[in-house]
């Protein structure tokens, strides 16, 4: 078995949920261009995060967008903020990130399965 191969048990530990971005602003305190955001995961709460998505998105365009995120990582210090989730996206050839979003609006906190 390859070293980076996940078992089914490993995968089931990753808690991915859908949430709606409720705030987004330029994260001035970081080295690489990023936004500071708050994402509403319904019953799982509002979580803070940082995302290097400035090549394809403007903060005002992110408000109301539903995204997929991992919500069970330990909190991580990023500059002067504690990140509480990891928003997922596809990484392009020029390191631009395209957010993973929903085809239609779903309830915040919906589990990815």
């Amino acid at each position: 078995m390859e070293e980076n191969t996940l078992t089914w048990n490993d995968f089931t530990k990753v808690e991915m949920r859908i949430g709606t971005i409720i705030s987004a602003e330029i994260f001035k305190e970081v080295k690489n261009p990023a936004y500071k955001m708050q994402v509403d995961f319904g019953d799982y709460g509002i979580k803070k995060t940082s995302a290097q998505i400035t090549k394809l998105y403007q903060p005002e365009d992110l408000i109301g967008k539903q995204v997929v995120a991992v919500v069970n990582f330990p909190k991580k210090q990023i500059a002067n903020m504690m990140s509480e989730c990891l928003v997922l996206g596809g990484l392009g050839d020029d390191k631009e990130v395209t957010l993973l979003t929903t085809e239609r609006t779903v309830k915040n906190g919906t589990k990815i399965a």
Side-chain angles (χ1 to χ4, degrees), residues 4-60:
N4 65 350
T5 301
L6 293 176
T7 66
W8 182 254
N9 191 45
D10 291 335
F11 178 72
T12 61
K13 292 177 186 175
V14 180
E15 187 77 21
M16 290 182 281
R17 299 277 173 176
I18 296 170
T20 301
I21 299 171
I22 58 172
S23 72
E25 61 187 66
I26 295 170
F27 198 170
K28 298 175 185 151
E29 296 84 2
V30 292
K31 294 175 189 171
N32 297 319
Y35 296 135
K36 190 184 319 185
M37 302 184 303
Q38 289 190 358
V39 183
D40 182 354
F41 292 99
D43 293 342
Y44 298 89
I46 294 171
K47 298 187 180 287
K48 294 181 282 186
T49 191
S50 169
Q52 294 178 5
I53 56 174
T54 59
K55 288 185 179 181
L56 298 180
Y57 303 95
Q58 293 300 312
E60 60 272 15

Side-chain angles (χ1 to χ4, degrees), residues 30-97:
V30 292
K31 294 175 189 171
N32 297 319
Y35 296 135
K36 190 184 319 185
M37 302 184 303
Q38 289 190 358
V39 183
D40 182 354
F41 292 99
D43 293 342
Y44 298 89
I46 294 171
K47 298 187 180 287
K48 294 181 282 186
T49 191
S50 169
Q52 294 178 5
I53 56 174
T54 59
K55 288 185 179 181
L56 298 180
Y57 303 95
Q58 293 300 312
E60 60 272 15
D61 299 329
L62 293 168
I63 308 301
K65 184 178 285 294
Q66 286 199 305
V67 293
V68 177
V70 176
V71 297
N72 66 332
F73 281 130
K75 292 180 182 179
K76 181 178 180 181
Q77 184 79 43
I78 300 176
N80 62 346
M81 181 190 81
M82 290 299 284
S83 179
E84 301 172 308
C85 66
L86 175 67
V87 173
L88 301 177
L91 187 60
D93 292 338
D94 293 323
K95 304 242 188 283
E96 75 280 6
V97 176

